Amino acid sequence: MSQQGEKPAAHEDDWWRALYDKTAQDTGPSGAPDSLDARFDSVSDAVGPEPDPVEGPVEGDHPASVVPLPDPRLPEAGPAPQPPGLPRPVAVGRAPWEAPAGPSRPQTFAVRPPPPPVPPAVPPPERPTVGHVGDRPPTYEAEPAALPESGADALDDLVPDTVLDGARYGTYTLRAASVRGDSARFRGEPRRDALLTARFGDGDSGLVLVAVAGGVRGDGQDRPAAADACRWIGGAVARSHARLSDDIRAGRRGDLKSGLHRLTDRTYGRLRARAAELGLEPSASTPGLRCLLLPADPECRTRVFFGIGPGGVLRLRDGAWEDLDPAVRPATGPAADEQGPEGDRLTMDLQITTPPSARAGSAPPPAERFHFRASVARPGDTLLLCGNGLAEPMRGEPALAGELARRWSSGGPPGLPAYLADIQLRTKGYADDRTGAAVWEA
């Protein structure tokens, strides 16, 4: 019975018994010789004798070609074997990786792509340099040589060689700088010019003050009076900045002139009193003070200038400079100490008690004229407020004024380093401190 439960048939059992009968005798090896010739004869007998060829086609049969069988006793013809270890022959004119049977083609070899071109070296940007106008440079060097002498009790009074500042409000850009003169740098004297830039208030009611004070060389003071002038006028404007800002935006020119005149006169009263305490002549120790008020409101283009003493304010418009500072005319007559040409009061009695002058019987100093001007700026204008050390070469050396006009007429306001180089543009014969503030109108 099989694994599936079926019962095998009788003839299947007989076949199984005949194949695996243990009592059957083993056939054993054959007695015929076992050789290649014997096997060939056995195959030939089985195949039979070769038939005779039939002459002519037989009707009903297709023509056939008789292919003779190869003699198994002869080795099959083929390519001669190659000894091991030798490379396969390659046809002439073919690349090693091309098949020998393929058509002849030009040999090709892998070529590395050329390296990418090296970009040209970018030269470093040019640094602003201090140039000069005229046929030859001034006698002094363009860079500082000696520092001012100081002591343990005078460290708070040290003044840096250079001051640089800038800002942007509304439609204008401000650049300001004060630089020690070539003569003071060579002799190791301190910078006597002073510069103040300050903003009072915020928003559209904010007010920017720029004050420039020109010191007097050799005044004998350990602390330059110009710094006091800037600080005191700055405090006075700060306390009144709200009213001043309203007057500028409302265009109240008369109120502005009288108010700023009072503030300036108070500052100069304190300077004269301090000079008297030190036993100095007020006229020899009173610096020139020039100020500029700039509203932060972008809708207001009014620029207000005021001050006393030497200095200047110039405007660059359409490539040409205009001197907005009227020439100082000496006052004459009995009322010279009280009124100016336009009837404006120049001095005020501030009830300040001053000691007598160091020189007995010396006449009181002549009254300084108060300068005031309010103008409306145009797009493209450049307003320059400068101390006397810059105002003199701007008025006396046409080459300097022309060079600054060329640099500032186009291209917008310069950066701080470039502006500093412009302010230091040297001119032979002018070696005092250079202080100036420029306003570019957009």
Side-chain angles (χ1 to χ4, degrees):
M1 180 178 295
S2 65
Q3 295 181 355
Q4 287 77 17
E6 297 177 354
K7 186 175 181 180
H11 67 277
E12 293 181 357
D13 291 342
D14 295 341
W15 174 83
W16 185 266
R17 293 190 189 96
L19 181 62
Y20 292 99
D21 189 4
K22 295 181 181 181
T23 60
Q25 295 181 359
D26 191 5
T27 57
S30 174
D34 187 11
S35 63
L36 182 59
D37 295 338
R39 294 188 178 187
F40 179 77
D41 295 339
S42 174
V43 172
S44 299
D45 295 340
V47 173
E50 181 177 354
D52 297 333
V54 180
E55 296 181 1
V58 180
E59 186 177 357
D61 293 339
H62 295 283
S65 59
V66 178
V67 179
L69 294 177
D71 191 350
R73 293 172 295 181
L74 299 177
E76 184 178 358
Q82 297 291 335
L86 295 180
R88 183 168 55 92
V90 180
V92 179
R94 302 178 186 274
W97 54 84
E98 294 178 349
S104 178
R105 291 178 295 181
Q107 295 186 9
T108 58
F109 301 92
V111 180
R112 293 183 179 180
V118 179
V122 179
E126 296 183 1
R127 296 180 178 178
T129 57
V130 179
H132 70 276
V133 295
D135 299 335
R136 53 180 180 174
T139 305
Y140 298 109
E141 297 180 2
E143 300 298 333
L147 292 173
E149 184 180 359
S150 185
D153 299 331
L155 295 179
D156 294 339
D157 299 332
L158 289 178
V159 180
D161 176 90
T162 303
V163 175
L164 184 63
D165 204 354
R168 184 175 65 250
Y169 289 98
T171 59
Y172 64 86
T173 300
L174 172 65
R175 298 286 183 264
S178 181
V179 184
R180 188 163 53 135
D182 293 343
S183 176
R185 285 177 167 180
F186 177 78
R187 302 176 186 277
E189 297 177 356
R191 176 173 54 88
R192 302 213 172 259
D193 278 7
L195 172 67
L196 173 68
T197 53
R199 177 179 63 88
F200 308 114
D202 56 358
D204 292 344
S205 61
L207 188 64
V208 176
L209 168 67
V210 182
V212 173
V216 181
R217 188 193 304 177
D219 56 7
Q221 300 185 50
D222 294 335
R223 183 171 185 172
D228 292 335
C230 287
R231 185 171 61 256
W232 289 340
I233 193 65
V237 171
R239 288 186 290 271
S240 306
H241 77 274
R243 176 66 182 273
L244 291 172
S245 179
D246 291 340
D247 290 344
I248 293 175
R249 291 190 292 171
R252 292 189 284 265
R253 185 178 182 277
D255 294 344
L256 278 171
K257 185 174 182 179
S258 60
L260 293 173
H261 194 175
R262 287 193 301 271
L263 298 181
T264 306
D265 213 359
R266 291 175 185 175
T267 299
Y268 266 74
R270 295 181 64 180
L271 290 173
R272 294 190 183 99
R274 184 173 181 274
E277 293 175 358
L278 297 175
L280 302 174
E281 286 289 344
S283 60
S285 59
T286 304
L289 178 63
R290 299 303 178 99
C291 301
L292 194 62
L293 291 178
L294 307 170
D297 187 357
E299 300 298 328
C300 181
R301 285 185 174 267
T302 303
R303 312 296 181 238
V304 178
F305 155 75
F306 67 97
I308 288 180
V313 57
L314 301 96
R315 179 174 61 197
L316 180 62
R317 175 175 289 179
D318 298 331
W321 288 104
E322 303 175 24
D323 196 343
L324 304 183
D325 189 11
V328 178
R329 290 171 292 180
T332 58
D337 292 346
E338 294 293 329
Q339 294 183 352
E342 300 177 2
D344 298 323
R345 185 175 179 83
L346 299 180
T347 60
M348 297 180 62
D349 185 9
L350 303 177
Q351 304 297 328
I352 299 176
T353 303
T354 59
S357 174
R359 297 183 180 180
S362 61
E368 294 284 354
R369 182 183 177 186
F370 176 73
H371 304 278
F372 175 88
R373 180 155 186 168
S375 62
V376 178
R378 299 180 185 176
D381 285 355
T382 300
L383 194 64
L384 177 62
L385 177 73
C386 47
N388 197 47
L390 180 59
E392 286 186 352
M394 285 292 294
R395 291 170 176 151
E397 185 60 49
L400 175 62
E403 179 63 20
L404 289 182
R406 184 188 66 83
R407 296 185 183 189
W408 294 354
S409 294
S410 60
L416 291 180
Y419 176 75
L420 180 60
D422 294 344
I423 286 294
Q424 296 183 89
L425 194 59
R426 307 169 70 219
T427 305
K428 190 173 181 60
Y430 299 93
D432 289 338
D433 295 350
R434 292 279 186 93
T435 303
V439 180
W440 277 264
E441 302 287 346

